[in-house]
Amino acid sequence: MDEAKIKAAAAHFEALVREQAERNDRIKAAKEYKDFAHLDHITIGVCGGDGIGPIITRESARVLEFLLKDDVESGRITFQYIDGLTIENRVKVMKAIPDDVLEEIKACDVILKGPTTTPQQGDGLPNIESANVAMRKALDLFANVRPVKIPEEGIDWVFFRENTEGAYAVGSKGVNVDEDLAFDFVVTTTEGTERIARLAYEYARNNKKERVSIIQKANVIKTTDGKFLNICKAVGEEYPEITTDEWYIDITTAKLIDPDRRTAFRVFILPNLYGDIITDEAAQFMGGVGTAGSANLG
């Protein structure tokens, strides 16, 4: 292999290491979050996205406006409709989120967002980052929380997916060393893992959930998944009333469709990629990913 290409790949990796080290420092420095219960005014941004997105988002907003009627009429809650997150507009400006749209989003306290198209290799669209990933980074939405509850089947699950690290942190920044060799990168930090673990365990404690399951593949992905597992277990030791167990991602996908085993699960903590896969599988029990709700918190 050409030595210059190896050096170029190494320089690329060094730049990513510095970028992620800076991000980790920002996480350490910013640990305060809004307490929405005590805000005098809340702006809910409604952002339709692509495909089915505008349809289901508009209907969801209509339901919210009905449920929050008193707060809307008093002026405590207002709805702000945000256009411009379509794939056509994002391709036009060659950004995951156009600058003007991101500023509108940042001006809101809560975003009700529909699905967005993410270009993939070979589909003819340019290589722009996922709008979801970009939004999570820009707003530090570190936790994707998805409840799945079907009482008649004994299913009562809540998934805490780490949202800003793992295989997605630098998913558009892999490197083709040459025509034969390519790398992508997985990122795991202590700060990033501790905060998703603590959020999951606090939820379990406050809602009397007796079990937290840590999902990973630490027997093979030893460094990053191993770090994720060990940090989550350490946080779990601070909650002695909660049973902590650990499952590999592959067997978890099987056990969720096992009627004899799936009813024992309660709260899950997962790295980014595994969480994306498993929460989509779980959402199918409630009709599919297009209609099962989730929240991105940070």
Side-chain angles (χ1 to χ4, degrees):
M1 182 179 290
D2 187 330
E3 187 68 23
K5 291 182 177 179
I6 295 176
K7 289 183 177 180
H12 180 87
F13 180 62
E14 180 182 351
L16 289 180
V17 171
R18 294 184 184 282
E19 171 192 288
Q20 291 303 305
E22 291 173 4
R23 186 185 69 85
N24 191 56
D25 290 341
R26 289 197 301 272
I27 295 174
K28 287 182 178 180
K31 294 190 175 182
E32 296 299 321
Y33 302 100
K34 284 184 180 179
D35 182 353
F36 288 93
H38 296 97
L39 290 182
D40 294 328
H41 179 263
I42 296 172
T43 300
I44 300 175
V46 182
C47 205
D50 298 305
I52 195 178
I55 299 170
I56 61 174
T57 306
R58 184 169 58 250
E59 291 304 300
S60 298
R62 186 172 64 86
V63 172
L64 272 183
E65 289 187 28
F66 175 80
L67 293 172
L68 301 171
K69 181 180 178 182
D70 291 344
D71 283 319
V72 171
E73 290 181 350
S74 71
R76 181 171 184 257
I77 292 177
T78 55
F79 285 78
Q80 177 72 36
Y81 285 80
I82 301 171
D83 297 319
L85 204 59
T86 63
I87 185 62
E88 292 82 7
N89 198 37
R90 289 152 53 214
V91 167
K92 182 179 178 181
V93 298
M94 286 299 292
K95 289 191 173 183
I97 304 175
D99 291 342
D100 58 334
V101 177
L102 183 58
E103 288 308 307
E104 287 188 81
I105 288 170
K106 286 182 175 181
C108 300
D109 301 294
V110 181
I111 297 295
L112 176 65
K113 179 192 160 295
T116 48
T117 300
T118 302
Q120 67 178 25
Q121 189 72 261
D123 66 4
L125 293 172
N127 180 28
I128 56 174
E129 187 177 39
S130 158
N132 288 336
V133 173
M135 193 177 297
R136 291 163 192 160
K137 290 179 182 177
L139 305 179
D140 197 27
L141 304 177
F142 69 88
N144 177 264
V145 183
R146 171 166 278 169
V148 174
K149 190 169 185 177
I150 308 173
E152 61 270 24
E153 296 187 22
I155 292 174
D156 183 10
W157 304 329
V158 182
F159 297 86
F160 285 79
R161 165 191 169 191
E162 201 294 315
N163 231 1
T164 59
E165 300 191 348
Y168 291 4
V170 287
S172 62
K173 298 180 181 180
V175 57
N176 288 293
V177 182
D178 64 8
E179 63 274 10
D180 295 323
L181 180 63
F183 283 94
D184 273 310
F185 305 99
V186 176
V187 177
T188 299
T189 69
T190 298
E191 294 286 333
T193 305
E194 280 184 347
R195 64 183 183 177
I196 189 68
R198 195 164 303 284
L199 192 69
Y201 277 101
E202 282 294 309
Y203 173 86
R205 172 176 281 175
N206 293 336
N207 291 276
K208 304 296 187 293
K209 304 295 184 182
E210 72 279 6
R211 181 178 301 276
V212 172
S213 301
I214 307 166
I215 312 303
Q216 32 63 47
K217 192 65 176 173
N219 60 329
V220 177
I221 314 297
K222 296 181 184 295
T223 303
T224 49
D225 277 26
K227 182 178 182 70
F228 186 89
L229 172 61
N230 290 332
I231 290 173
C232 289
K233 287 168 66 176
V235 172
E237 290 174 0
E238 301 175 27
Y239 300 80
E241 77 278 17
I242 298 171
T243 298
T244 296
D245 58 14
E246 55 188 82
W247 292 82
Y248 297 139
I249 177 62
D250 44 0
I251 195 63
T252 305
T253 62
K255 293 305 179 184
L256 289 191
I257 60 172
D258 179 352
D260 295 327
R261 183 63 187 86
R262 67 190 182 202
T263 56
F265 289 114
R266 287 295 176 265
V267 176
F268 301 75
I269 313 173
L270 314 92
N272 208 336
L273 174 59
Y274 306 151
D276 192 0
I277 295 167
I278 286 291
T279 56
D280 281 4
E281 180 191 13
Q284 195 64 34
F285 285 92
M286 297 203 308
V289 296
T291 54
S294 66
N296 293 287
L297 309 178

